[in-house]
Amino acid sequence: MDSTPSSEIVYDIPMLFQVYKDGRVERYRKHDFVPPSDNPITGVRSKDVVIVPENNVTVRLFLPKITQNDQKFPVLVYLHGGGFAIESAFSTYYDSYLHSVAAETNVLAISVEYRLAPEHKIPSCYDDSWAVMKWVAQHANGEQGTEPWLKIHADFSRVFLAGDSAGANIAHNMMMRASVDEDKLGDGLKLVGMALVQPYFGNNGPDRIWSYCCPENPNTDDPRFNPAAHPSLLSKLICSKILICTGEKDFIRDRGWTYYEALKKCGWKGEVEIKETEGEEHVFHLVKPTCDKAKALMKWLADFFQ
């Protein structure tokens, strides 16, 4: 290994990244890039749309098979996981997964490519995702939205948010932001529910990822990271239903259960359900997408969205 001062590692988060003295960031896993495509077997089509060019905020849209010209589908805004620091909406994992979600749950999926930490500290991921939410809302409110797939095929009376791991955290924060600032999205967009798969929230203990990626508030009582510690905020969620999916052997399993219990006690008027996959670890459904338990999780999502 290079022994020059610039090669000294000053911060190391296992499985995510190393930061060197000279500011370089090295990720343990670099994602690949898969272009959008049309699938003749499933009928799902995908394409990319740039939302904020200066920050490279982009979405990949997945349109299910159309059986009539003006067919409408529920809308799903999906946030990928990766500890705020790795992965992409354009990686093999997420392109393949969102393709399956569109095909099997019959939703028009919007997969968000947001800026990653540690180069872009929190709240960049939240700000980028909110920019996408406002872009979707432009179409729902009959404003300057020009994306034909949304204008023709989106049912804005049935809009869902979803994500896995850190993406579930971002999804919650988008719903929270829409709940306290409803006027910013307008009346045309109805946020019905959200599906949080193995969500990455705080649990009142130290958390090295959050404290490094969010220097503006490294404390784990930040409501963006630990919503269960702020029941008065949690009670304001405007969606009417929430599905939480955990894994029995997931290393952050307790975070999902804590969020579930907090929702039940905070005075929120919606319906919450938690489903746990026996014997499975974190994001198993991405690693083993064709296994029976991943198929069962997909069925839970399909029932929830429809």
Side-chain angles (χ1 to χ4, degrees):
M1 186 177 188
D2 186 356
S3 59
T4 60
S6 66
S7 69
E8 180 185 345
I9 297 172
V10 295
Y11 209 83
D12 182 8
I13 297 184
M15 307 299 292
L16 289 181
F17 58 81
Q18 294 177 328
V19 181
Y20 290 83
K21 192 172 185 178
D22 63 2
R24 285 183 300 121
V25 175
E26 211 170 84
R27 288 176 170 80
Y28 282 99
R29 190 174 82 237
K30 295 179 174 63
H31 65 261
D32 54 355
F33 173 84
V34 179
S37 62
D38 294 352
N39 189 309
I41 298 173
T42 63
V44 173
R45 301 165 62 197
S46 62
K47 67 177 174 181
D48 297 342
V49 181
V50 178
I51 308 300
V52 186
E54 58 269 29
N55 292 333
N56 200 29
V57 180
T58 308
V59 294
R60 177 158 292 178
L61 303 180
F62 294 83
L63 182 66
K65 183 177 181 179
I66 297 169
T67 55
Q68 56 190 53
N69 291 338
D70 58 350
Q71 187 172 359
K72 302 283 189 184
F73 301 96
V75 176
L76 171 66
V77 179
Y78 193 92
L79 292 309
H80 72 78
F84 305 110
I86 61 172
E87 270 302 337
S88 165
F90 309 138
S91 72
T92 298
Y93 272 151
Y94 284 101
D95 177 78
S96 176
Y97 186 65
L98 268 296
H99 181 107
S100 296
V101 168
E104 297 181 39
T105 73
N106 219 34
V107 296
L108 196 168
I110 303 169
S111 186
V112 182
E113 179 75 346
Y114 53 84
R115 287 172 293 171
L116 299 176
E119 295 93 338
H120 303 283
K121 299 287 201 295
I122 291 171
S124 292
C125 60
Y126 299 135
D127 292 343
D128 294 350
S129 301
W130 187 247
V132 171
M133 294 293 293
K134 291 200 290 186
W135 175 78
V136 175
Q138 287 176 355
H139 295 80
N141 295 313
E143 298 172 13
Q144 64 267 35
T146 59
E147 170 48 49
W149 285 6
L150 292 185
K151 290 174 77 70
I152 298 170
H153 298 294
D155 178 356
F156 292 112
S157 70
R158 292 186 294 162
V159 180
F160 295 85
L161 304 183
D164 60 275
S165 195
N169 174 294
I170 299 171
H172 160 82
N173 278 284
M174 293 306 97
M175 188 67 77
M176 195 78 258
R177 195 161 173 176
S179 302
V180 297
D181 297 320
E182 289 180 66
D183 60 315
K184 289 186 177 178
L185 293 182
D187 297 329
L189 194 75
K190 179 160 179 58
L191 292 165
V192 176
M194 59 179 171
L196 307 180
V197 180
Q198 300 169 341
Y200 177 43
F201 293 126
N203 63 349
N204 299 315
D207 192 285
R208 295 184 70 226
I209 298 173
W210 177 264
S211 62
Y212 190 80
C213 293
C214 187
E216 71 170 25
N217 186 5
N219 299 320
T220 53
D221 64 350
D222 187 311
R224 296 170 298 181
F225 186 54
N226 193 355
H230 301 268
S232 61
L233 263 181
L234 204 54
S235 68
K236 293 185 166 90
L237 285 169
I238 57 170
C239 57
S240 59
K241 60 180 186 173
I242 295 173
L243 172 65
I244 303 163
C245 300
T246 65
E248 182 189 16
K249 295 183 178 179
D250 182 9
F251 74 102
I252 54 172
R253 169 185 179 271
D254 63 305
R255 317 291 178 93
W257 280 97
T258 298
Y259 183 85
Y260 169 73
E261 294 295 344
L263 273 174
K264 291 205 304 182
K265 296 173 183 174
C266 72
W268 176 63
K269 303 300 184 185
E271 297 180 5
V272 59
E273 183 177 14
I274 190 165
K275 290 180 175 286
E276 183 161 290
T277 303
E278 183 179 349
E280 291 297 347
E281 299 181 349
H282 197 59
V283 298
F284 76 94
H285 61 293
L286 297 176
V287 181
K288 304 179 292 183
T290 59
C291 74
D292 288 343
K293 290 175 181 177
K295 291 177 181 177
L297 195 157
M298 185 70 78
K299 178 67 165 54
W300 294 343
L301 294 178
D303 292 344
F304 184 74
F305 297 146
Q306 298 299 333

